[in-house]
Amino acid sequence: MAATAVATTTLLCPALLDTAFAAPANGAPKVSFTADPLSTWQTNGIVWALASTGNVVYVGGTFDTVRPPGAAPGEKEVRRRNFAAFDATTGALLPCAPSFTGDTATVRALKASPDGRVLYAGGSFDRVGTTGAASAVALNTADCSLRKEFHPTVSATVRAIATTDRAVYLGGDFHLVSGHTRNRIAALSPQGALLPFAADIDAPVRAMSVVPARGRIYVGGDFERINGRRAHSLAALNSTTGATAHSYPHWLPPGSAVKSIAYDATRFYVGAEGRGPGIFDGRIAGRLSDDTLLWRDDCAGATQVVLAYRGVLYSASHAHDCSGTPGGFPERNDRQHLLAQSPDNRTILHWFPDTNEGIGEDLGPRALTVERGVLWVGGEFTKVNDRPQQGLTRFAAGPDTTAPQVPALSLATTSPGKATIRWQASWDRDDASLTYRLYRDGRLVSQQHKSSTYWHRPWMSYTDVVPAGTRHTYRLEATDGTNTSPKSASLSVAVPTETNARTGSAE
Ligand SMILES: [Ca+2]
């Protein structure tokens, strides 16, 4: 089964919560993916939604074509109108390709049924293939055919979908569903009949996550009131009736809105985006059993999506200034667009694949899903780890393929019989501790380990004891344990005699 998140909704299969995996001996959870992207198809526009089931990843958004890995925009393009499907393991483009069309057509939400047999799609569109539709449809995953009985008419954009065995929840901007008043949230049976569930919400719903075991659906968005009472941006509703089960009046400041909700066995997680002074852009964890706030992470940089998978909380944002977060970084010009954190205490883990901000609102990644152990990332980026890659990328448990850059050597001091060589630690996107090997005249003289991040690269040194008056060449290599850098440029050192002045030069 898949753990799935899109920009608007997340559901984690509790069976995936392997507690042994989640809590290794040193206490820090283990990230399931390297930071090296797998070869992946691309889109020519923004990916807003991802869903996965049965070794297929479904991609929705605002795009006209997809193109193979490595192709530049305009090259080798294949027609796909706002929807595409890929083999989750190989990444291959699949023939499942209904066109979602209409004025300013876009797919904003995708969600599989719990049994994986049906894929629900929402957004803003009035035709799917040759069939008329009204912003929400269902596809049979077995053959990609439209489920004819599921054809609600939704009066405006659908931005979030959540599913149980009995209900399909739609959230968004609408007021009417199949001719009945439903203000921004509605539930249908899997056969497409409108259910009595109703909640009166005063502004768009952008995120939903339903917890069947607790009879609740968590709802996030731009709203201030639900069912006639104040509920700023986040609420839990009775999943049968729509009655407000809990609101969280002080969890988010004015100006911040929930963009994504996920949960695991014991907690739920919220990702928020804010505008203006004093806003909240980060992530919050709450306890499912009693709605206690467990932690708030106030990194800056608009969180678009959260995903809980195997004991780690993944998120997409443009994080900058995480100085208040354990393991976090100070304000910098370069923003970090993907994060892995401990769900226990929000500690930022050493996993730093990155995208650029790209097109659209310049927000980088917007959707996440995991299928068959592969993390898929969709959004509006045009680069991944500084290389061209648009709209989609993927990360797997291996292989780790990138060697750390090798630092330049410099001469710190010499004295008769001694030379001190120094260098600044390198960094690696998915290994905190790197090993540095220093060679004198081709022979290993020092091996040192040092932890580093891209914002904290300590200086390192080695004092070599050599006969006075001799001349030597030093080179360095850095390894993450799997990939070893080429050796550095050599540093030539003349070790002085008692009467000789100190000298040293890099060649
Ligand atoms: Ca590595």
Side-chain angles (χ1 to χ4, degrees):
M1 289 189 71
T4 302
V6 299
T8 50
T9 180
T10 301
L11 177 67
L12 175 71
C13 173
L16 285 173
L17 290 169
D18 177 345
T19 50
F21 192 99
N26 66 8
K30 184 178 181 334
V31 176
S32 294
F33 316 103
T34 76
D36 295 315
L38 300 177
S39 168
T40 307
W41 278 70
Q42 309 174 78
T43 59
N44 74 337
I46 298 169
V47 171
W48 285 95
L50 294 171
S52 51
T53 186
N55 198 31
V56 177
V57 170
Y58 298 94
V59 177
T62 310
F63 52 85
D64 300 317
T65 64
V66 296
R67 63 182 188 271
E75 286 179 7
K76 302 179 186 171
E77 288 184 328
V78 179
R79 192 76 158 159
R80 287 291 187 275
R81 298 292 297 277
N82 303 312
F83 180 88
F86 299 91
D87 183 298
T89 308
T90 66
L93 180 66
L94 298 175
C96 175
S99 291
F100 286 68
T101 55
D103 287 345
T104 65
T106 182
V107 173
R108 294 299 176 98
L110 294 169
K111 188 74 190 178
S113 60
D115 65 8
R117 292 185 180 180
V118 183
L119 177 75
Y120 297 94
S124 176
F125 46 83
D126 54 31
R127 195 159 284 273
V128 177
T130 57
T131 304
S135 295
V137 295
L139 297 172
N140 296 300
T141 54
D143 62 1
C144 195
S145 61
L146 267 182
R147 265 174 103 81
K148 293 200 169 53
E149 70 269 30
F150 189 93
H151 55 82
T153 53
V154 184
S155 64
T157 305
V158 172
R159 299 186 185 275
I161 301 176
T163 58
T164 67
D165 292 336
R166 294 186 205 165
V168 181
Y169 298 87
L170 307 179
D173 303 359
F174 50 83
H175 298 283
L176 285 172
V177 176
S178 300
H180 295 265
T181 298
R182 289 291 187 275
N183 284 319
R184 281 100 182 189
I185 194 166
L188 298 126
S189 75
Q191 292 73 36
L194 187 65
L195 296 175
F197 172 97
D200 185 25
I201 302 181
D202 71 344
V205 167
R206 296 183 181 275
M208 294 194 301
S209 194
V210 61
V211 187
R214 300 192 61 78
R216 278 184 168 196
I217 181 165
Y218 291 84
V219 180
D222 303 346
F223 48 83
E224 297 295 339
R225 296 182 77 78
I226 295 187
N227 296 327
R229 293 189 145 173
R230 182 166 153 69
H232 172 52
S233 196
L234 178 67
L237 307 179
N238 179 302
S239 60
T240 304
T241 65
T244 305
H246 200 85
S247 61
Y248 306 83
H250 306 300
W251 281 28
L252 294 129
S256 288
V258 170
K259 298 296 290 284
S260 180
I261 305 171
Y263 73 94
D264 60 21
T266 59
R267 306 178 190 93
F268 63 103
Y269 307 95
V270 166
E273 174 178 355
R275 287 175 204 280
I279 53 85
F280 177 76
D281 258 355
R283 293 150 294 278
I284 299 174
R287 191 151 53 216
L288 285 171
S289 60
D290 62 4
D291 298 297
T292 302
L293 189 152
L294 296 171
W295 52 255
R296 274 171 114 248
D297 164 25
D298 61 359
C299 286
T303 305
Q304 302 302 312
V305 57
V306 289
L307 168 71
Y309 178 72
R310 291 200 168 189
V312 172
L313 181 67
Y314 297 88
S315 61
S317 67
H318 56 272
H320 61 102
D321 192 357
C322 289
S323 49
T325 304
F329 37 85
E331 181 69 289
R332 294 165 55 95
N333 287 333
D334 48 340
R335 297 162 162 196
Q336 176 64 35
H337 296 83
L338 293 164
L339 288 179
Q341 290 178 273
S342 165
D344 294 330
N345 57 18
R346 77 192 191 279
T347 297
I348 293 175
L349 305 173
H350 194 103
W351 181 73
F352 299 108
D354 200 14
T355 73
N356 68 346
E357 307 202 324
I359 59 176
E361 291 181 61
D362 293 339
L363 288 174
R366 287 185 171 278
L368 302 172
T369 193
V370 177
E371 180 70 12
R372 306 291 158 106
V374 178
L375 173 67
W376 287 65
V377 181
E380 50 197 37
F381 49 85
T382 56
K383 287 185 175 179
V384 175
N385 291 355
D386 303 320
R387 296 207 174 103
Q389 174 72 27
Q390 186 173 2
L392 286 170
T393 188
R394 303 184 293 153
F395 300 93
D400 182 335
T401 55
T402 306
Q405 286 199 328
V406 66
L409 289 174
S410 60
L411 181 61
T413 60
T414 54
S415 59
K418 283 185 184 172
T420 298
I421 314 296
R422 66 185 222 133
W423 65 91
Q424 191 177 13
S426 188
W427 73 283
D428 184 89
R429 291 184 185 275
D430 52 21
D431 291 289
S433 178
L434 301 179
T435 300
Y436 300 85
R437 297 189 194 109
L438 182 68
Y439 296 86
R440 182 219 308 133
D441 306 326
R443 196 170 73 84
L444 182 67
V445 292
S446 172
Q447 176 163 286
Q448 300 182 35
H449 309 287
K450 185 65 88 178
S451 287
S452 58
T453 59
Y454 63 84
W455 65 93
H456 178 65
R457 296 172 52 205
W459 282 92
M460 303 175 67
S461 67
Y462 177 70
T463 298
D464 199 18
V465 178
V466 282
T470 57
R471 191 174 185 92
H472 303 282
T473 297
Y474 292 88
R475 299 180 84 185
L476 183 73
E477 67 187 14
T479 179
D480 66 1
T482 305
N483 308 288
T484 300
S485 71
K487 287 200 175 65
S488 68
S490 59
L491 176 76
S492 186
V493 175
V495 182
T497 59
E498 293 292 345
T499 56
N500 211 353
R502 53 183 268 185
T503 57
S505 65
E507 288 175 355

